[in-house]
Amino acid sequence: MTLSAPRGTVDILPESSYKWHFIESQARRIAELFGFSEIRTPIFEHAELFMSGIGAGTDIVKKEMYIFKDKKERLLALRPEGTATVMRSVLEHKLFVKPINKLFYMGPYFRYERPQAGRYRQFHQFGLETLGSDSPATDAEIMHAVIMLFNAVGLKNLSLSINSLGCKECRPAYREELIKYLSSQTEHLCIDCNERIEINPMRVLDCKREECRAIISEAPKMPQYLCSKCRDHFAQLQSILDAFRLPYQHNPDIVRGLDYYTGTVFEVLSKSLGAQDAVCGGGRYDLLSEKLGGKQFPAVGAAVGLERLLGLLEKNNVPFPERTPIKLYIISTSSEAEQMVSRILAECREHGIATERDYTARSLKSQMKTAAEINAPYVMIVGSNEFAAGEVSIKRMADGVQTSMAPNSVVKYLLNEEKQ
Ligand code: HAM
């Protein structure tokens, strides 16, 4: 048996879980500040949901899905992303979308990708989805919320890139032009791009290979082909982003790797992330509900990669708030004092004082050493002498002052100290 976590997965150990709590609590706070409510969907779904939702020709579905049959031969998949799952749940439970429903989620997602820095097979996302509105104000609001999250955790210097992929009216003409151009350049494009020309030509624009970049820079771009409705939507979005004072760039090469997008798409990038530079991606998916068999309604959303966000915070030495510190450490060298120690321990915790005790019968010196490692500001000491006198003694570690008191005064003493 190999005693290691599967490739591409990581254990979140106590030394970093408090950082996750910080990020998650900020994400929750921002979501609620913007009026989003939490939705939790299963970790696995019918594989078909992703095949039709994300698109059978996408890398995610073709190469990266963890797909399996259960004992009844149902074809299931570990969820590779959250948008299709949220849409499935909204349709199944007939959640209202009129005038609007704003949902957020957080949790693990799974993609069988080649692991590298910032890319995992199990990773976590915080996602926001606004269902029922085609207003560009909802696109801008999603962008504002994610940027506010980055600022709230202490990250600056991220860039927001936006684009419009057009709608079912204007995209086909562009697609045709693009295929025509790319087909004339096949010998200069990589194997992957050549494969994409017919299946998903817009994905070619996303290729990072040097040899393809030169060809892509000369390719026709969607903005020139947008219909007036898409053009207006995109212009209004930009004017709202200006009103929010959110800096952005228009990058016509942003296409995203999921087929459900229509109109607005965007990414938040960081230069310090290296090859996996997207810390957030999102956009509009006005046709997804219909594709999954529901009534058509517009929607927009985004998801932040939490491993990447955490990686950025660590790389930039952004300070994390202290984990909830132990306030009192209890040391006893008297076995007779066990019941008294247990009572004080329980009382402190019940009064909201974070308390830990030493469970060993080691010397006072050894137990004090552990207390110092834990960095508890107060240490309660009970030896045979204290027990015989019906007292305990509390040492305030900051100045070494030691105070004797009756066991039932400990909570009062500590709560008083907190006020000073
Ligand atoms: P996505 O761009 O595939 O979009 O993923 C969103 C974010 O998840 C990425 O920007 C990245 O930070 C993170 N991410 C993706 N794959 C990995 C991985 N293998 N390892 C680590 N982090 C990863 C979506 O998933 C869409 N559902 C977003 C959306 C919501 N669009 C509309 N609503």
Side-chain angles (χ1 to χ4, degrees), residues 81-83 105 111 123-129 139 142-143 146-147 150 159-162 206 254-258 260-261 264-270 273 276-285 300-306 308:
E81 62 100 50
T83 310
Y105 50 89
R111 294 183 194 175
F123 58 98
H124 296 77
Q125 285 187 344
F126 160 62
L128 297 162
E129 313 288 355
D139 310 20
I142 296 270
M143 298 178 201
V146 296
I147 298 292
F150 295 132
S159 64
L160 168 64
S161 298
I162 61 171
D206 217 15
I254 291 198
V255 289
R256 315 270 306 123
L258 304 101
Y260 49 61
Y261 291 113
T264 309
V265 283
F266 71 97
E267 285 180 346
V268 181
L269 307 175
S270 162
L273 274 175
Q276 302 306 314
D277 57 355
V279 67
C280 169
R284 206 157 250 297
Y285 46 96
V300 61
V304 176
L306 297 184
R308 291 189 193 171

Side-chain angles (χ1 to χ4, degrees), residues 159-165 174 202 205-208 213 216-217 221-223 234 238 248-256 263-269 277:
S159 64
L160 168 64
S161 298
I162 61 171
N163 191 22
S164 173
L165 298 181
Y174 168 63
M202 285 169 87
L205 303 182
D206 217 15
C207 184
K208 306 274 183 308
R213 289 311 315 165
I216 292 162
S217 66
K221 297 287 151 74
M222 187 66 224
F234 198 51
Q238 295 179 57
Y248 60 87
Q249 300 93 45
H250 177 193
N251 178 353
D253 289 339
I254 291 198
V255 289
R256 315 270 306 123
T264 309
V265 283
F266 71 97
E267 285 180 346
V268 181
L269 307 175
D277 57 355

Side-chain angles (χ1 to χ4, degrees), residues 4-11 66 121:
S4 60
R7 188 163 141 78
T9 69
V10 286
D11 294 316
Y66 278 92
R121 290 183 174 168

